[in-house]
Amino acid sequence: MSALLRTLEAFPTGRTTEEILVLSGAAFNHEKRIALLAELDELARTGKAVRGRDGKWRRTRSYF
């Protein structure tokens, strides 16, 4: 399980993209930021995470 998925699980109410970048230490590193955004996109594409109408990312419940 990736660190990003564990981060999303730790905050069931969700976190914004900016908050996730800061929590992961990627806020000031362009390469890390791009990699994290790509991973968020992949998790959304595979249905493991969703971005809500409030702009917060959450782990989906049906991830098995």
Side-chain angles (χ1 to χ4, degrees), residues 1 5 7 10-11 13 15 19-21 25-26 28 31 34-35 37 39 41 44-45 49 51 55 62-64:
M1 182 184 307
L5 281 175
T7 301
F11 298 101
T13 59
R15 288 291 179 236
E19 291 171 332
I20 292 170
L21 290 172
F28 299 108
E31 290 82 19
I34 295 300
L37 292 173
E39 188 174 353
D41 184 51
R45 190 180 62 73
R51 186 172 183 216
S62 60
Y63 48 83
F64 293 105

Side-chain angles (χ1 to χ4, degrees), residues 6-17:
R6 287 192 302 269
T7 301
L8 292 175
E9 283 182 347
F11 298 101
T13 59
R15 288 291 179 236
T16 64
T17 304

Side-chain angles (χ1 to χ4, degrees), residues 18 21-22 24-30 33:
E18 289 299 320
L21 290 172
V22 171
S24 65
F28 299 108
N29 185 322
H30 181 71
R33 189 169 52 245

Side-chain angles (χ1 to χ4, degrees), residues 39-58:
E39 188 174 353
L40 278 171
D41 184 51
E42 178 68 19
L43 291 174
R45 190 180 62 73
T46 60
K48 294 181 180 177
V50 65
R51 186 172 183 216
R53 289 183 8 193
D54 58 358
K56 294 183 178 183
W57 288 94
R58 292 175 183 84

